[in-house]
């Protein structure tokens, strides 16, 4: 690589109204906000098992988590709660109210794939609190395998307040100091779930701090050794990193192991230290020898694609943007859902372009509603949107 581091499933709720969730916690006799030093009680199928810290997943016998079964796409990383203003174009202090929306890029992708009729799983950690239970339940209700989800009694589920500008673009303020997703440990990983996958998808936020960084590296190594196709979306969030240099170094530290990478124009400029993201020669600097496909998303303009054999651009679908949250994740879900069916399409430009047109439609539909997971489209919605799109 030229650059080097510095050292068909319908949603369970209507997305046109505030989300209402039925939390399945009646059989979980726990102390949600206890001090980490206290021992908590977790439900079991036959009795109550006592764990110090209670970081294990609840069993399927509790009606909460599904058994560990294989999934075509395993998504690793953070899952959190986005609070999105009900009125666009205002600062956080000026917003009159916020809509609660489940999010987190890897989790968005997992749900997006399931909504499109694919098979997905999520691996990560949430707090042993009401938001954590809610997120686990959302995965299950959306047919995402959540057997790789862990709970931590010593940290809360991450929160993010998202400011929506009048153009639908976002600014973030995070509450994670630390949040549970940062505390996932290597020994808590379901390695068999990862080994059995066709695609292992991840971002860079899980690389910021330990112990999650080590868990991330271990999971990626296991996937690579098992011959699993590795998908990487850096998902740059500078406020979460200690410095600009640490962000660039961290993102590039795992760049060369990915088989497919999705980046934005902003991320190209960031990684190339200000070079023109529209210059193909600049983009090619990010193409490493083992990379099979590099995708550049351009919002409403569509996307560009680069492989060793060919490159090109697929136009997007014009829509009225309400909230851009989750658009890139919906795009990733769209393309990975197609790759999970047949990875050979990345060698056939005609078929690849069709798959990318599908992915563009996924992203476009997502920006027409507020929130990420609530707005992710079903396969039928995408196919309907593509009816009038030129070939």
């Amino acid at each position: 690589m030229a650059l080097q581091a510095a050292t068909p499933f319908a949603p369970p709720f209507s997305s046109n109204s505030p989300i209402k969730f039925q939390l399945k916690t009646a059989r979980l006799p726990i102390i949600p906000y206890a001090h980490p030093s206290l021992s908590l009680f977790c439900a079991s199928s036959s009795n109550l098992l006592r764990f110090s810290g209670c970081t294990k997943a609840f069993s399927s016998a509790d009606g909460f988590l599904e058994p560990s079964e294989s999934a075509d796409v395993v998504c690793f990383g953070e899952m959190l709660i986005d609070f999105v203003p009900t009125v666009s174009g205002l600062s956080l202090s000026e917003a009159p109210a916020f809509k609660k929306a489940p999010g987190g890029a890897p989790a968005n992708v997992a749900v997006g794939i399931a909504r499109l009729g694919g098979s997905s799983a999520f691996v990560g950690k949430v707090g042993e609190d009401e938001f954590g239970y809610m997120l686990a339940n959302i995965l299950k209700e959306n047919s995402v395998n959540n057997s790789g989800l862990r709970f931590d009694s010593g940290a809360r589920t991450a929160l993010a307040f998202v400011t929506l500008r009048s153009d639908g673009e976002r600014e973030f303020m995070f509450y994670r100091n630390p949040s549970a997703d940062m505390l996932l440990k290597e020994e808590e990983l379901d390695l068999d779930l990862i080994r059995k996958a066709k695609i292992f998808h991840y971002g860079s936020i899980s690389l910021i701090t330990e112990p999650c960084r080590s868990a991330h590296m271990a999971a990626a190594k296991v996937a690579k050794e098992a011959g699993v196709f590795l998908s990487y979306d850096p998902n740059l969030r500078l406020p979460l990193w200690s410095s600009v240099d640490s962000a660039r170094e961290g993102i590039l530290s795992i760049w060369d192991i990915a088989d497919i990478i999705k980046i934005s124009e902003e991320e190209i400029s960031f990684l190339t230290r200000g070079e023109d993201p529209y210059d193909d020669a600049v983009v090619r600097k990010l193409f490493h020898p083992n990379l099979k496909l590099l995708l550049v998303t351009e919002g409403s303009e569509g996307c560009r694609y680069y492989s060793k054999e060919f490159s090109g651009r697929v136009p997007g679908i014009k829509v009225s943007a309400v909230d851009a949250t989750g658009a890139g994740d919906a795009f990733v879900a769209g393309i990975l859902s197609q790759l999970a069916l047949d990875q050979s399409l990345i060698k056939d430009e005609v078929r690849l372009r069709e798959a990318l047109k599908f992915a563009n439609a996924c992203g476009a539909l997502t920006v027409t509603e507020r929130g990420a997971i609530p707005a992710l489209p079903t396969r039928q919605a995408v196919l309907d949107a593509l009816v009038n799109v030129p070939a």
Side-chain angles (χ1 to χ4, degrees):
M1 186 179 101
L3 285 180
Q4 296 296 327
T7 47
F9 187 86
F13 46 78
S14 171
S15 53
N16 295 322
S17 58
I19 309 172
K20 296 181 180 179
F21 300 98
Q22 182 178 1
L23 302 181
K24 299 184 179 181
T25 59
R27 296 185 60 193
L28 303 178
I30 60 174
I31 308 170
Y33 308 117
H35 189 276
S37 63
L38 296 178
S39 295
L40 302 181
F41 289 86
C42 298
S44 174
S45 58
S46 58
N47 54 17
L48 298 181
L49 300 179
R50 195 171 186 229
F51 298 106
S52 176
C54 197
T55 59
K56 293 191 176 183
F58 296 109
S59 71
S60 59
D62 300 306
F64 205 66
L65 296 187
E66 296 295 337
S68 180
E69 298 176 350
S70 61
D72 287 346
V73 184
V74 172
C75 301
F76 177 95
E78 70 280 2
M79 189 173 192
L80 47 81
I81 303 292
D82 287 328
F83 285 89
V84 184
T86 56
V87 179
S88 300
L90 299 177
S91 67
L92 291 176
S93 62
E94 295 171 328
F98 295 84
K99 178 183 177 181
K100 177 180 61 179
N108 294 342
V109 173
V111 174
I113 290 169
R115 289 266 181 90
L116 295 170
S119 167
S120 64
F122 176 75
V123 174
K125 203 172 200 182
V126 293
E128 195 171 2
D129 51 40
E130 292 300 311
F131 282 145
Y133 305 146
M134 184 188 79
L135 294 175
N137 199 42
I138 287 169
L139 291 175
K140 183 177 180 181
E141 288 182 347
N142 281 276
S143 290
V144 175
N145 181 330
N146 61 5
S147 63
L149 185 67
R150 302 291 178 259
F151 295 82
D152 196 297
S153 62
R156 299 290 180 86
T157 301
L159 307 179
F161 285 81
V162 187
T163 302
L164 298 177
R165 301 200 306 252
S166 57
D167 62 359
E169 287 301 318
R170 307 147 296 154
E171 296 175 354
F172 294 87
M173 184 165 73
F174 294 94
Y175 285 77
R176 53 195 309 267
N177 189 35
S179 54
D181 61 286
M182 302 163 67
L183 303 177
L184 181 67
K185 301 174 183 177
E186 181 178 346
E187 56 266 31
E188 295 175 305
L189 296 173
D190 184 341
L191 298 180
D192 284 340
L193 182 67
I194 296 170
R195 290 190 185 100
K196 294 175 182 177
K198 294 179 180 178
I199 300 172
F200 181 66
H201 175 73
Y202 50 87
S204 68
I205 291 175
S206 50
L207 296 169
I208 297 175
T209 58
E210 293 290 356
C212 191
R213 176 180 169 81
S214 291
H216 180 134
M217 301 301 287
K221 183 174 184 292
V222 165
K224 194 73 172 177
E225 290 175 348
V228 179
F229 194 86
L230 269 58
S231 166
Y232 184 25
D233 177 2
N235 194 34
L236 177 64
R237 295 287 180 264
L238 270 179
L240 297 179
W241 294 85
S242 60
S243 68
V244 170
D245 287 340
S246 66
R248 187 177 292 110
E249 180 179 354
I251 289 172
L252 292 175
S253 68
I254 59 170
W255 196 266
D256 290 354
I257 68 171
D259 295 295
I260 179 174
I261 297 175
K262 193 282 289 184
I263 50 175
S264 67
E265 299 154 289
E266 175 192 8
E267 288 159 352
I268 295 173
S269 295
F270 177 75
L271 294 175
T272 60
R273 299 176 183 271
E275 294 191 53
D276 184 1
Y278 300 99
D279 186 338
D280 286 350
V282 170
V283 178
R284 284 287 182 182
K285 292 181 181 180
L286 297 170
F287 205 99
H288 65 77
N290 298 318
L291 190 61
K292 297 178 177 63
L293 184 65
L294 178 63
L295 300 173
V296 180
T297 51
E298 300 179 330
S300 62
E301 298 302 316
C303 68
R304 282 175 280 158
Y305 58 90
Y306 301 83
S307 74
K308 293 178 182 178
E309 293 80 21
F310 47 73
S311 63
R313 183 175 174 277
V314 177
I317 299 175
K318 303 298 182 181
V319 295
S320 297
V322 173
D323 177 11
T325 306
D329 304 326
F331 173 90
V332 172
I335 188 62
L336 293 188
S337 68
Q338 304 302 301
L339 285 174
L341 296 174
D342 184 3
Q343 292 181 18
S344 69
L345 70 82
I346 62 176
K347 298 178 181 179
D348 184 332
E349 187 171 9
V350 173
R351 293 169 59 215
L352 175 62
R353 289 182 62 87
E354 286 299 313
L356 291 175
K357 185 167 69 172
F358 181 89
N360 282 343
C362 292
L365 291 175
T366 302
V367 307
T368 61
E369 299 180 22
R370 296 186 189 277
I373 287 178
L376 294 170
T378 62
R379 180 176 182 83
Q380 189 58 53
V382 176
L383 295 177
D384 290 344
L386 288 171
V387 169
N388 297 319
V389 176

